[in-house]
Amino acid sequence: MTLISPKNIPDSQLFTDLPADVIAAVNHIEQAKNWQDKYRHIMLLGKQLPTLADNFKQADAQVKGCESQAWLYHHQLNGQHYYLADSDARIVKGLIAILLVANQGKTTEQINQFDVSHYFDTLGLSGQLSPSRTNGLAALANAIKLYANGVIT
């Protein structure tokens, strides 16, 4: 995967902890009893994640490997990593939010230890996503790690 650091980046003040309602929504996904309920919660979660301004939806911020368009930005502050992300597809945006809940405000070591497959098993989402969504999710998780490790700046 090739990512080039975007030239136009959001102001560092936008990189903050996620709102409590986004974190709570991920807990609802884990507690949902069936795939339809989980899917509905993921779609709702996609609505809760803030939208990037159009001027930040640039080709050099796109995560390659996603079937839908997805953009990812990174900012490091005091050894913790913060991300802004968006997608043109609500389900992907919901999946991005799930990844951000697991990685927002974490250290490089914590992000390196994050296992996306295990996390999605815990949430009851493994085996429910199409192969293209699974590949896109892996690409996003990899991009988060690359940013945290300074491979992409």
Side-chain angles (χ1 to χ4, degrees):
M1 173 176 57
T2 303
L3 278 178
I4 301 168
S5 184
K7 295 172 185 70
N8 183 24
I9 59 170
D11 187 89
S12 63
Q13 294 176 350
L14 295 174
F15 293 87
T16 61
D17 291 325
L18 294 171
D21 59 339
V22 171
I23 296 167
V26 172
N27 292 332
H28 290 296
I29 292 167
E30 185 175 6
Q31 295 168 4
K33 301 292 185 222
N34 59 52
W35 171 240
Q36 289 173 332
D37 286 344
K38 289 180 187 292
Y39 187 84
R40 185 173 55 79
H41 284 296
I42 293 169
M43 296 293 280
L44 292 171
L45 184 56
K47 284 182 171 182
Q48 291 177 285
L49 194 66
T51 301
L52 279 175
D54 286 341
N55 61 316
F56 296 121
K57 294 179 180 178
Q58 349 171 31
D60 55 359
Q62 273 189 291
V63 177
K64 307 302 181 215
C66 292
E67 187 174 282
S68 303
Q69 293 185 54
W71 301 272
L72 181 67
Y73 288 91
H74 168 260
H75 179 70
Q76 185 176 359
L77 179 65
N78 299 326
Q80 295 176 297
H81 299 276
Y82 295 89
Y83 300 89
L84 292 176
D86 200 354
S87 176
D88 62 349
R90 192 175 303 148
I91 184 75
V92 174
K93 194 168 176 173
L95 294 170
I96 289 170
I98 293 169
L99 281 177
L100 293 183
V101 165
N103 290 284
Q104 193 81 327
K106 304 291 189 206
T107 65
T108 302
E109 183 179 345
Q110 289 170 314
I111 291 171
N112 285 333
Q113 291 174 357
F114 174 69
D115 180 345
V116 68
S117 297
H118 177 73
Y119 184 55
F120 274 71
D121 281 346
T122 301
L123 294 173
L125 299 176
S126 296
Q128 300 296 328
L129 302 172
S130 68
S132 63
R133 292 248 196 280
T134 301
N135 290 340
L137 193 62
L140 282 161
N142 187 45
I144 286 170
K145 286 184 181 189
L146 290 173
Y147 270 119
N149 286 288
V151 175
I152 308 168
T153 56

